Amino acid sequence: MAVKSSGRWLVLAVPYLWLLALFLVPFLIVFKISLSTDAIAQPPYEPVFDLAAGWEAFKESFSALSFDNYSYVLSWDNEFIEAYGSSLWIAGVSTILLLIVGYPIAYGMARAPKSIRPTLLMLVILPFWTSFLIRVYAWIGILSPEGLLNQLLIALGIISPDQPLQILATNTAVYIGIVYSYLPFMILPLYSALEKMDDTLLEAAADLGCPPFAAFWKITWPLSLPGVFAGCLLCFIPAVGEFVIPDLLGGSDTLMIGKVLWTEFSVNRSWTVSSAVAVLLLMVLVIPIVFYQNLQAREVEGR
Amino acid sequence: MRKGLSWFNTTSIALGFAFLYIPIILLVIYSFNASRLVTVWAGFSFHWYVQLFHNQQLLDAAWVTLRVAFLTATIATVLGTMAAITLTRYGRFIGRTLFSGMVYAPLVMPEVITGLSLLLLFVAIGLDRGFWTITLAHITFTMCFVSVVVQSRLVTFDRSLEEAALDLGCTPFRTFFVITLPIILPAVVSGWMLAFTLSLDDLVIASFTTGPGATTLPMRIYSQVRLGVTPEINAACTILIAIVTVVVIIASIMTKRQEMERQKAERLAAAG
């Protein structure tokens, strides 16, 4: 488009400046505060950069910055490293479970007659529109010791009434919660990859005597890989920082970094340590995030 | 292998949907339970719904949430659509990589990080925390979702229509409102709805960026859930589910009707 007008630049500038001010700048502030020390003041950290105090004072504030919060977070004496590790582990296991659960569903949907596909798609998206909190909450009633699952198992005589299954407040409950809440995010990219697939490829394979299972591994699976990557990243990255699910379904021994950050911030009231935790979490996730961005940019912008 | 559902396909779809829906259905059923104990069925009753409408705190929270969500969705739709146009129509420009990074990163960014960083920004610039800070925070992360939804529509549409309008002397501004917007409207509307529900739903970012006097419904529900499961919360959840279901079904019927009309028009055009 050769048309140049101020309107054209406004369309670019408004969202650009908005995201700079409310997405990028906040990260710089988090980074700066992660290098500060806690103080009993408002705001509860120092140094506070104050340009009005003059250049000398400004320079002096710089020398007050330190990496103490990082050495605190990265020391083996504290639980943080363990929390990062167990968050990555829980998110990783959940992502694999999601793929195992989501793939057959997406595959079935892509095989379904064209006329019912939009309905199936809507049925997958519908739970996503209902509140995340509600969906997690629903599982408390099911998994608790006197909950519906135990009642059912007792009624069926599978377990005895005085020994109900302890699922709530364990990591198993966290896995169930993550798989349940993130399932639409896994199914949708898988479905869109599988739906685009050309069926004649499978027909050709069958004609040439390839058994269906081998055809699946040689044709369907490789062609669905973009969907697999997109789905896995879409689930894995937010799951690492998950807070609500481990808090409501997990036990006291469920260690996840999102919960640790929250506790550090709202219970221990250390803004500087929680900032350091956030910066390190971001550093752990930066590679998958960049990978996801590229995938998304290629998919959405059609480049 | 032919198109069509095998035994395996049908089973996996059926099990998948059972997994997705049974917990929600159970939650709805138990909201009509007469007993205070959530897991013991004691007969059908509207008791908890009546109770709910006398819970002033919950109603206040619902009102705050709706206002935040409405403002958020409206502003985020405008900003997100602008971002989508920039990314699909502007080609290369300086800082494009940074911009597209900032549009996609919030989609996967853990909420605790977004929430904390926005809070620290609001404190640093001395903004009073409350209704407006929650709204600003929500606009920021929902506009990215809107942008992705609108972009996917912008990429698939026939650009010759826009070019024809421009060639005939229509200003870019008018071209957008006369040609582009009507075509991408379904995507813009679903972007609005997505932003609305994301805002309605958000607990973590709102908890970070709120201040005294602005408690949203998820925050209220969360603090009650932590104290234990109560049928009253089930009732509140059921009402929310009912609203969302009705809106989504109406929206999908509307898009279906639009699609059918378009196909009819195309058939007529082809025949004549």
Side-chain angles (χ1 to χ4, degrees):
Chain A
M1 263 192 269
V3 195
K4 267 196 183 174
S5 63
S6 56
R8 186 173 138 83
W9 290 109
L10 210 62
V11 171
L12 168 65
V14 174
Y16 207 134
L17 291 177
W18 183 290
L19 286 173
L20 277 181
L22 285 135
F23 187 72
L24 198 65
V25 170
F27 282 124
L28 301 178
I29 296 176
V30 170
F31 184 62
K32 186 251 140 189
I33 291 175
S34 73
L35 299 172
S36 310
T37 40
D38 280 312
I40 301 166
Q42 196 49 252
Y45 54 84
E46 58 185 15
V48 178
F49 286 128
D50 187 6
L51 282 173
W55 179 240
E56 282 306 314
F58 186 72
K59 270 203 296 197
E60 211 161 284
S61 320
F62 260 104
S63 56
L65 295 178
S66 79
F67 283 94
D68 288 353
N69 294 314
Y70 288 92
S71 44
Y72 175 73
V73 171
L74 291 175
S75 120
W76 285 105
D77 303 337
N78 304 309
E79 278 184 332
F80 296 101
I81 297 185
E82 247 181 288
Y84 283 112
S86 96
S87 298
L88 290 172
W89 171 255
I90 291 177
V93 172
S94 307
T95 306
I96 294 167
L97 289 173
L98 273 159
L99 189 59
I100 296 170
V101 174
Y103 203 101
I105 302 174
Y107 188 77
M109 284 168 62
R111 302 261 111 202
K114 252 207 168 90
S115 54
I116 66 162
R117 274 190 232 163
T119 314
L120 291 175
L121 204 57
M122 202 186 85
L123 283 172
V124 171
I125 298 170
L126 198 59
F128 167 74
W129 293 95
T130 59
S131 166
F132 181 69
L133 190 59
I134 295 176
R135 282 176 288 147
V136 176
Y137 168 75
W139 281 97
I140 301 178
I142 296 173
L143 298 176
S144 65
E146 66 280 3
L148 299 165
L149 180 67
N150 274 315
Q151 284 184 23
L152 177 75
L153 293 175
I154 290 167
L156 293 174
I158 296 170
I159 55 171
S160 77
D162 37 283
Q163 274 180 320
L165 289 180
Q166 269 302 339
I167 302 179
L168 192 69
T170 65
N171 282 358
T172 314
V174 177
Y175 291 131
I176 295 175
I178 294 179
V179 170
Y180 183 68
S181 322
Y182 286 71
L183 194 56
F185 292 110
M186 181 59 91
I187 294 180
L188 294 176
L190 284 174
Y191 169 77
S192 74
L194 286 166
E195 203 221 0
K196 270 187 269 178
M197 216 181 72
D198 187 356
D199 286 312
T200 51
L201 292 172
L202 289 178
E203 278 164 26
D207 286 348
L208 296 169
C210 183
F213 192 70
F216 173 82
W217 278 115
K218 285 192 173 135
I219 298 169
T220 312
W221 174 254
L223 284 175
S224 68
L225 277 181
V228 172
F229 286 135
C232 287
L233 289 168
L234 211 53
C235 294
F236 177 78
I237 305 169
V240 174
E242 188 54 58
F243 160 71
V244 179
I245 296 172
D247 191 55
L248 291 180
L249 299 179
S252 50
D253 58 335
T254 305
L255 205 54
M256 281 192 81
I257 199 68
K259 212 175 129 185
V260 170
L261 194 156
W262 177 270
T263 315
E264 205 51 57
F265 176 79
S266 60
V267 182
N268 299 349
R269 301 219 166 263
S270 173
W271 291 23
T272 59
V273 173
S274 37
S275 295
V277 171
V279 170
L280 288 170
L281 176 57
L282 202 59
M283 277 154 76
V284 170
L285 292 179
V286 78
I287 295 168
I289 288 177
V290 169
F291 195 62
Y292 171 76
Q293 280 171 354
N294 287 333
L295 212 66
Q296 188 70 31
R298 238 179 304 163
E299 173 79 23
V300 176
E301 291 161 30
R303 283 186 297 165
Chain B
M1 204 148 112
R2 281 209 204 98
K3 274 268 163 188
L5 289 168
S6 70
W7 173 86
F8 175 74
N9 294 151
T10 320
T11 318
S12 49
I13 292 179
L15 285 178
F17 284 137
F19 177 61
L20 280 175
Y21 282 95
I22 285 175
I24 298 176
I25 292 168
L26 288 174
L27 179 109
V28 171
I29 292 173
Y30 276 83
S31 73
F32 296 105
N33 191 356
S35 160
R36 163 132 247 165
L37 294 164
V38 182
T39 48
V40 181
W41 183 257
F44 186 88
S45 133
F46 281 113
H47 176 74
W48 302 108
Y49 288 86
V50 178
Q51 195 91 331
L52 190 67
F53 283 100
H54 289 105
N55 187 336
Q56 196 55 43
Q57 280 187 327
L58 216 57
L59 293 179
D60 288 345
W63 180 232
V64 171
T65 314
L66 282 177
R67 281 186 304 158
V68 169
F70 190 80
L71 259 175
T72 297
T74 309
I75 300 173
T77 303
V78 175
L79 289 172
T81 308
M82 286 162 104
I85 291 169
T86 310
L87 285 172
T88 49
R89 293 286 187 268
Y90 277 31
R92 304 201 63 80
F93 56 86
I94 298 162
R96 188 198 160 96
T97 315
L98 176 67
F99 185 58
S100 94
M102 288 195 299
V103 170
Y104 300 126
L107 303 182
V108 286
M109 190 60 70
E111 288 171 317
V112 283
I113 298 184
T114 315
L116 179 72
S117 67
L118 281 163
L119 166 74
L120 296 178
L121 171 80
F122 295 143
V123 171
I125 60 174
L127 207 59
D128 275 337
R129 275 170 285 148
F131 179 84
W132 287 104
T133 46
I134 301 179
T135 310
L136 282 175
H138 280 186
I139 293 169
T140 308
F141 85 95
T142 55
M143 69 177 272
C144 304
F145 286 87
V146 176
S147 163
V148 171
V149 172
V150 175
Q151 271 182 65
S152 58
R153 185 75 191 95
L154 276 171
V155 193
T156 54
F157 109 49
D158 187 2
R159 288 185 64 175
S160 55
L161 289 170
E162 281 175 352
E163 278 156 16
L166 289 169
D167 285 348
L168 293 170
C170 194
T171 61
F173 187 74
R174 239 182 95 85
T175 307
F176 176 77
F177 283 100
V178 177
I179 310 280
T180 317
L181 190 60
I183 296 178
I184 62 168
L185 199 61
V188 174
V189 171
S190 42
W192 190 92
M193 279 171 52
L194 182 60
F196 189 83
T197 44
L198 284 169
S199 166
L200 210 63
D201 199 18
D202 169 64
L203 166 71
V204 177
I205 294 173
S207 304
F208 270 108
T209 52
T210 188
T215 308
T216 64
L217 195 57
M219 285 158 70
R220 183 68 65 197
I221 291 177
Y222 176 71
S223 62
Q224 291 201 11
V225 166
R226 295 206 57 163
L227 301 175
V229 179
T230 67
E232 205 178 337
I233 293 294
N234 281 29
C237 295
T238 304
I239 292 175
L240 280 178
I241 293 170
I243 294 171
V244 170
T245 312
V246 169
V247 171
V248 172
I249 289 174
I250 290 174
S252 76
I253 291 173
M254 268 166 56
T255 20
K256 206 167 195 177
R257 190 169 293 169
Q258 228 171 19
E259 184 71 11
M260 271 157 65
E261 264 164 31
R262 195 180 60 83
Q263 279 172 357
K264 210 164 88 187
E266 271 173 13
R267 266 202 304 276
L268 282 175

